Amino acid sequence: MPNNIEIKAKIKNSEELMKTASELSGSDGVKLLQEDTFFHCDKGRLKLRVFKNEDKPAELIYYERPDTLGPKSSDYHIAHISNPEDVKVTLGKSYGIKGEVMKTRMLYLVGQTRVHIDDVQGLGQYMELEVVMKADQSLEEGEKIANDLIEKLGVKPDDFVTGAYMDLILKNKNGK
């Protein structure tokens, strides 16, 4: 399976972070409106991602990632889906729907890293890094890239969070 090194953090000032990400990427970024439906599954996470403002196929994404702070390895597989509503109904009936995450994402590409600045409905603003690993790179190299970029973006380790947005939404909903 393909592999990323990921970091997720709660952010306080998205405008400042977007300015820095824009400078580092040399672009204004791309605005994405995403709706993720998470399904119950025995291991890892399974979600159906629908792009609300782009004419592109939906994605069924399976991934395994530890719920730890800081840089972590994420193994994933993506299938492109042309009929997301049928897939959502089918998976919902067979596995059950865990919940949905709606977000507006600003995407910046900095070298081999995807910098996401997300406004997540019901949660607030977050930053996510995904260092897309090359076949010949070690996890240590990916972690170094992630840590260097986190420092340049001015994100502090105290702001790191664990889990997926779905986990954070359910935690808030259940009052934990």
Side-chain angles (χ1 to χ4, degrees):
M1 277 198 286
N3 183 273
N4 286 336
I5 298 295
E6 298 184 8
I7 298 177
K8 185 178 297 184
K10 180 84 171 133
I11 57 174
K12 297 170 183 75
N13 187 339
S14 64
E15 295 297 321
E16 185 177 311
L17 191 58
M18 283 191 277
K19 181 177 183 260
T20 304
S22 180
E23 290 168 1
L24 291 170
S25 70
S27 77
D28 292 332
V30 176
K31 184 177 184 176
L32 304 169
L33 303 178
Q34 298 176 339
E35 176 182 301
D36 293 344
T37 302
F38 282 77
F39 301 94
H40 294 283
C41 61
D42 291 336
K43 74 175 199 178
R45 292 183 175 92
L46 181 65
K47 66 183 172 185
L48 177 65
R49 172 165 291 159
V50 176
F51 299 91
K52 294 300 201 177
N53 66 328
E54 288 195 21
D55 185 26
K56 68 186 268 186
E59 297 174 338
L60 185 62
I61 304 168
Y62 171 78
Y63 63 101
E64 294 180 32
R65 176 186 71 210
D67 290 332
T68 56
L69 291 174
K72 62 195 118 314
S73 177
S74 176
D75 296 325
Y76 63 92
H77 182 77
I78 299 174
H80 298 280
I81 305 294
S82 61
N83 54 345
E85 284 307 313
D86 288 342
V87 170
K88 181 177 177 178
V89 169
T90 302
L91 290 175
K93 287 183 179 290
S94 59
Y95 294 112
I97 293 176
K98 191 173 192 176
E100 294 185 328
V101 176
M102 312 283 234
K103 66 180 171 282
T104 300
R105 168 170 282 176
M106 287 301 298
L107 167 65
Y108 302 88
L109 299 175
V110 180
Q112 70 190 80
T113 305
R114 297 168 55 91
V115 178
H116 304 152
I117 300 174
D118 296 334
D119 188 2
V120 184
Q121 188 176 326
L123 281 182
Q125 297 178 328
Y126 289 79
M127 183 274 330
E128 217 177 47
L129 291 186
E130 294 178 351
V131 180
V132 181
M133 298 298 291
K134 297 175 184 172
D136 62 344
Q137 280 184 304
S138 69
L139 294 179
E140 291 76 21
E141 287 176 278
E143 288 176 8
K144 181 177 181 343
I145 292 168
N147 284 324
D148 288 348
L149 191 49
I150 279 292
E151 189 174 317
K152 289 176 184 172
L153 290 167
V155 177
K156 305 293 182 222
D158 288 348
D159 298 323
F160 292 171
V161 296
T162 64
Y165 293 136
M166 185 77 259
D167 301 327
L168 297 172
I169 288 170
L170 290 174
K171 187 177 175 182
N172 286 350
K173 184 179 177 183
N174 295 328
K176 294 181 182 172

